Amino acid sequence: MRWIVSYQKIDQDRISRLFQNSVRTTQMEDVHVYALNLDLNKLLYGHHELRYGLEITANQVNSKAQQLNLSNFQTLAAKTRYGDLGNNLFTEGIYLSHAWEISPQFIFHEGLRFTANQLSSQFGDTAFYRSPYKTVSLQNQALSGNIGLTWTSENKYKCALLFSTGFRSPNIDDMSKLFESSNNVLIVPNPNLQPERVSNLECNLSKRIGHVFRFDASVYYTKLYQVLVMAPYTINGSDSLYYNGSNKSLQALQNRDRGYIYGVSLGFQYQINTSFSMFGQYHYTYGVTP
């Protein structure tokens, strides 16, 4: 049994000023991350191994902003990058995995994980842009898993076949971020985001030749559902908002129906002597979203 209790504090500030402009804008984010992990391992009769546990995380983001006029040192209000009344993300997960050594050549393994997420962002001051909402919230759950088989031969061939599913819930940066990007575009929150889901099939092959040479190859295909992409957006039928002195075109993260990624990887390693080794790798990846 292993327990891990952790805390992390991150200060992330952005200071910006246009060339020869007397006004300097400071956006300050204080991030507090709390986590609890419990991992357990159990060996069972008949070459079986169980791994199970839980994970609980809490992310709190406090966002502040101000403008300073450097000519008279007057302090002015400014737009925060995230919700100015607080942003919170809670994640709870439990998992169970099992490995069975069928024989010295074959190992069968499978696993399940259940994850729940709760997110909320509160916007108090919307004077800098005409937002139709003051709260962004999200709750979702998902069950993901994997199943695979590994074969090892007596002449040092190793082959692994794996099928898995995945799940990624929108985080605070996805749901509540507001900032001005290049090309006069304003990125705004989208309260209607849904989680991304994925299924993946991959095959890995490796071969050792003596104690000096190793060859690896893998190929995979990944299918994505409700994939998050940045795209033009409208608020109350308008595709632009007045922000920071001018009208900006709107964009936001949005779910698209499907996408896919496939790729191949090749590699080798040669141990020249006890002090030197040589290795090389080749990767090819291709992805498409509608």
Side-chain angles (χ1 to χ4, degrees), residues 160-232:
L161 185 65
L162 174 69
F163 175 78
S164 59
T165 62
F167 164 83
R168 190 184 84 85
S169 179
N171 55 34
I172 293 175
D173 198 60
D174 297 326
M175 290 287 294
S176 60
K177 176 174 56 181
L178 185 143
F179 72 100
E180 184 179 359
S181 67
S182 59
N183 301 323
N184 209 35
V185 172
L186 182 66
I187 307 299
V188 296
N190 178 5
N192 300 313
L193 283 182
Q194 298 297 318
E196 293 179 304
R197 301 177 186 272
V198 65
S199 58
N200 179 71
L201 179 65
E202 62 180 273
C203 181
N204 303 292
L205 176 67
S206 65
K207 166 68 175 175
R208 284 190 177 273
I209 302 176
H211 298 285
V212 297
F213 189 82
R214 176 186 172 94
F215 172 79
D216 298 276
S218 63
V219 60
Y220 67 90
Y221 178 82
T222 302
K223 190 76 173 182
L224 302 105
Y225 307 89
Q226 299 184 154
V227 58
L228 296 179
V229 297
M230 191 67 68

Side-chain angles (χ1 to χ4, degrees), residues 71-106:
S71 62
N72 56 19
F73 295 99
Q74 181 181 3
T75 301
L76 305 172
K79 178 68 190 76
T80 58
R81 186 174 175 87
Y82 304 100
D84 57 318
L85 295 185
N87 309 270
N88 296 280
L89 173 64
F90 300 95
T91 302
E92 307 88 29
I94 57 174
Y95 76 91
L96 170 66
S97 66
H98 166 250
W100 175 26
E101 186 179 346
I102 303 173
S103 70
Q105 290 77 38
F106 289 95

Side-chain angles (χ1 to χ4, degrees), residues 238-273:
S238 176
D239 60 359
S240 64
L241 279 179
Y242 186 81
Y243 180 82
N244 202 17
S246 63
N247 277 323
K248 314 292 183 183
S249 299
L250 296 179
Q251 287 192 5
L253 279 175
Q254 300 171 56
N255 293 103
R256 289 291 183 262
D257 185 23
R258 293 184 181 183
Y260 64 87
I261 305 170
Y262 64 80
V264 62
S265 176
L266 302 173
F268 76 92
Q269 182 175 350
Y270 177 65
Q271 191 70 38
I272 301 173
N273 54 41

